[in-house]
Amino acid sequence: SVAATATEHRVESPDGTIAVMVSDENSLRFRVEVDSQQVMAWSQLGLEFADGSVFGPESVIVAAERKKYRSLWENHFGKRRAVKEYWNQLHLDVQNEDGAKRHLGLQVRVFDDGIAFRYLLDTDLRLDDFTITGEKTEFTFVDDYRCWMGLPSKCAENQYPETQIDAIPTTNNTGDAYQSVLPLLVETPDCFVAIAESDLLDWAGMFLRGSDKASTVCVSLAERNDGQGCVVGKTPCVSPWRVLMIARTAAELIASDLIATLATPCQLDDISWI
């Protein structure tokens, strides 16, 4: 690890075409470039806890660690048997500038066909048990682009009508947070971006809602049936990956193995019959 003297850190895809910048200036936030063009403007990151602590608005990056990975994995069920897994990773140690001085990890991986990041809740959080009441993650695009939004539903078999980012509702008819089913597909002048998630284990499902900020959608977590916030867990724990699938044409998204690559491998018995 190296001391983070700069307020901004950059990590690029293995082929150099996609870049993510993470900064702690004014708040913990990120932005995205594709083919040297800014696709996503500064977007907020963070989590809210039941004890009142909030990571993001007053957090600073105190250490950064980088890693490269190049390998193949075998997929018995997908579009191809041998799947390339090439990524560059930026692992950040984030400290909350409050009396507790708690730490949170942010892991960012950049692939040739997308971006993924997740929150790491380790023992440095100084909370054995935790309850998350909300997530402050936002996705702010450069402009109000055309998109295809999943209607609220309890299942993924759904309608995805064409709309604009700024037309996505913030609340539903009862005043609760709007919950658009993933993925959200956005068409920019330079590429298509599909917002999704992967490796959803012991965590609340992720939905999206509109925002008062221009060209922005916000994460909306599913609430627990017992009313105890959204996520109840013990450290160490990691959130699901927040995924940005990126392709120059919509058709190329179909060929992506990004969601499966990020997921925890499914352990099955005899699969020779497949």
Side-chain angles (χ1 to χ4, degrees):
S1 297
V2 294
T5 57
T7 59
E8 182 174 323
H9 296 268
R10 179 186 179 97
V11 57
E12 297 181 351
S13 59
D15 65 3
T17 62
I18 301 174
V20 180
M21 282 62 67
V22 182
S23 172
D24 60 6
E25 185 178 358
N26 298 323
S27 67
L28 188 64
R29 54 189 189 153
F30 76 103
R31 65 183 180 92
V32 177
E33 293 178 357
V34 178
D35 300 328
S36 300
Q37 300 298 314
Q38 183 169 259
V39 170
M40 191 166 290
W42 286 115
S43 305
Q44 188 169 328
L45 296 164
L47 295 173
E48 299 173 324
F49 292 83
D51 66 356
S53 59
V54 180
F55 273 87
E58 297 183 5
S59 301
V60 296
I61 300 169
V62 296
E65 183 178 345
R66 298 176 182 274
K67 180 180 179 180
K68 295 181 179 180
Y69 186 83
R70 308 287 187 271
S71 186
L72 298 173
W73 65 276
E74 188 176 17
N75 187 354
H76 295 276
F77 317 106
K79 297 174 282 291
R80 57 187 61 82
R81 180 59 59 92
V83 179
K84 184 176 76 171
E85 184 177 358
Y86 289 10
W87 45 260
N88 294 334
Q89 178 175 284
L90 176 66
H91 186 122
L92 299 174
D93 181 9
V94 180
Q95 179 178 284
N96 231 25
E97 289 294 271
D98 54 20
K101 298 290 185 183
R102 290 173 175 165
H103 288 247
L104 185 79
L106 178 68
Q107 201 170 50
V108 183
R109 287 183 184 173
V110 188
F111 301 74
D112 292 341
D113 60 347
I115 296 159
F117 61 88
R118 64 180 176 181
Y119 302 100
L120 290 79
L121 288 70
D122 210 336
T123 52
D124 286 341
L125 187 64
R126 301 179 188 173
L127 287 174
D128 293 333
D129 302 314
F130 64 87
T131 299
I132 291 175
T133 55
E135 184 170 334
K136 300 188 72 65
T137 305
E138 297 178 345
F139 302 95
T140 300
F141 288 84
V142 174
D143 204 350
D144 180 23
Y145 296 129
R146 180 169 70 149
C147 63
W148 290 263
M149 172 197 69
L151 297 177
S153 174
K154 295 185 181 297
C155 69
E157 290 188 1
N158 201 5
Q159 299 296 316
Y160 291 79
E162 180 182 324
T163 184
Q164 298 290 130
I165 296 174
D166 286 343
I168 297 175
T170 58
T171 59
N172 58 24
N173 294 333
T174 62
D176 296 323
Y178 192 81
Q179 293 189 331
S180 172
V181 172
L182 300 178
L184 172 69
L185 178 62
V186 180
E187 181 182 11
T188 81
D190 304 291
C191 62
F192 284 84
V193 179
I195 302 176
E197 70 176 335
S198 182
D199 208 28
L200 176 57
L201 302 170
D202 299 323
W203 203 271
M206 169 180 152
F207 300 89
L208 295 174
R209 57 181 172 82
S211 171
D212 294 334
K213 299 180 183 178
S215 310
T216 299
V217 291
C218 306
V219 168
S220 177
L221 295 179
E223 295 184 356
R224 292 169 55 91
N225 290 333
D226 60 9
Q228 300 300 311
C230 300
V231 181
V232 175
K234 297 179 179 292
T235 57
C237 182
V238 297
S239 77
W241 291 102
R242 279 63 183 102
V243 185
L244 298 174
M245 302 170 64
I246 297 174
R248 279 63 178 180
T249 66
E252 292 177 52
L253 290 171
I254 300 173
S256 175
D257 292 293
L258 187 55
I259 300 297
T261 297
L262 289 162
T264 298
C266 182
Q267 301 298 325
L268 300 176
D269 296 326
D270 179 25
I271 57 173
S272 62
W273 58 273
I274 300 175

